Amino acid sequence: MTTAAPRPTGHRSRLRDTKAAPYWLDRPEHPTPLPRLTADTTCDLAVVGGGYTGLWTALLAKRADPDRDVLVLEQNTCGHAASGRNGGFCSPSLTHGLANGADRWPADARLLHRLGMENFEAFRRDLDTHNIDCGFVRGGKVTVAATPWQAEGLDSAHTLAHRYGERTRLLNRAELRAYVDSPGWTAGLWSPDYALLDPARLVRGLRAACLDLGVRIAEHTEVTALTTRHAGRVRLATPYAAVGARQVALATNVYRPLLKRLSLSMIPVYDYALTTEPLSDEQLAAIGWTGDHGITDAGNQFHYLRKTDDNRILFGGYDAIYHYGNRVDERLTQRPATFDTLAAQFAETFPALADVRFSHSWGGVIDSTTRFCMFAGTAAHGRISYALGFTGLGVGATRYGAQVMLDLLARRRTDRLRPAMIRRPPVPFPPEPVRYLGVEATRWSLAREDMHGHRNLWLRTLDRLGLGFDS
């Protein structure tokens, strides 16, 4: 729900035994870490980053050219960061929703929609091709409204979706109860072309598929610098060895950019989630949630909800926390105040489950841009490509980003490179302290809009500048 945050007092007992770790990663089936790089080497393609974007890039490159020597360099273990911590919602959208894409690039909206659906279908086929068992279920998603203005927003989203051939269905309160029953939700929008999956199992499956094809992967190998003046190769420095690569693909998410030009392109925003203890079928039936669909609400400070294979409810979102100076620190993935708020909001959303305890609490960092979706480009006369800025909706879109990077490196003219989203970079964020003040003003204003349904002068100004956000 997207009302003002209720006071957490009285809910902390249900968090007392919560494990401070991502639910998806807190399981025994972790693969053995691969050795770090300790000797100088060369390769045809060096991929920096072992999350979704990097692993898709390596997999697609090696599959297209089995003789290509591909090396993935990961500073921790594959999937340690956002790729192993997200909610597991797999959207066909490349633009953080159809409305965001249509508002920013109306001339490209149909092309972007088509490319997104093609990527979504190819994503599913690739899982089958490479025997990646990640619990992929095309169960759809319901977006729910808690206020009259949110319900009006669902009406507009439904109209826009049908304009572009996207299948959606409006749900009144009685119809919504067939999907989920919460006293605060009055309307819904059903989107069948949406999937859920296990994010950590997807990482492990992509990693295994890469290794099966002959991709080399070095874990615990941080790339600290790039140098391009080396006889046509890019030199990548790591703590124990150097790599000479003919081409480089950067898939580093929010971590320190290796290209100076990217330093103001993104900000790290922390997002948080809880999972409940396993629930019985009777408990889930009590809230009317018997299907395989995911749920999001229509507020700016939105929540996302889904069930896991063992009948837990993952409940995340609402707070989006930026720390001054683009600070990224593993300690920031735990935020008790947010967990208290989420626990209280969960009880408000599902009174029948108000006594349920929580098993895991964690956070992760999102690479957000001023346009709330990915961007891509090249450097070093086309020898380096990058795809970054997925803004929390990258489970499906990272595969597209990988293909874009490979197209750019190969200098191929494809439909994937046609949209202005790919051809033009996002507006950069201002330097500090203006950046921090702007983010805080936006957060405050979005919360006010959630309460009253009106966009204030600050939000309207951002809209006019093409920097506005509407979830």
Side-chain angles (χ1 to χ4, degrees), residues 102-114:
D103 286 346
R104 296 182 190 282
W105 303 287
D108 292 335
R110 291 192 182 277
L111 172 61
L112 286 165
H113 182 262
R114 173 173 67 80

Side-chain angles (χ1 to χ4, degrees), residues 272-287:
Y272 297 91
L274 300 171
T275 49
T276 69
E277 62 190 357
L279 304 179
S280 66
D281 291 340
E282 291 75 18
Q283 285 174 304
L284 291 170
I287 61 171

Side-chain angles (χ1 to χ4, degrees), residues 232-252:
R233 288 183 179 269
V234 180
R235 184 181 185 274
L236 297 89
T238 79
Y240 303 101
V243 178
R246 294 186 184 279
Q247 295 179 317
V248 175
L250 298 180
T252 50

Side-chain angles (χ1 to χ4, degrees), residues 56 70 75 79 91 93 98 109 119 150 158 164 170 178-179 195 228 259 279 296 337 346-347 390 402 419 435 466:
W56 275 119
V70 180
Q75 68 174 351
S91 167
S93 176
L98 179 58
N119 178 70
Q150 289 177 10
H158 175 66
Y164 289 94
L170 287 169
Y179 293 88
T228 57
L259 296 174
L279 304 179
T296 61
F346 181 88
F390 293 92
R435 182 188 313 157

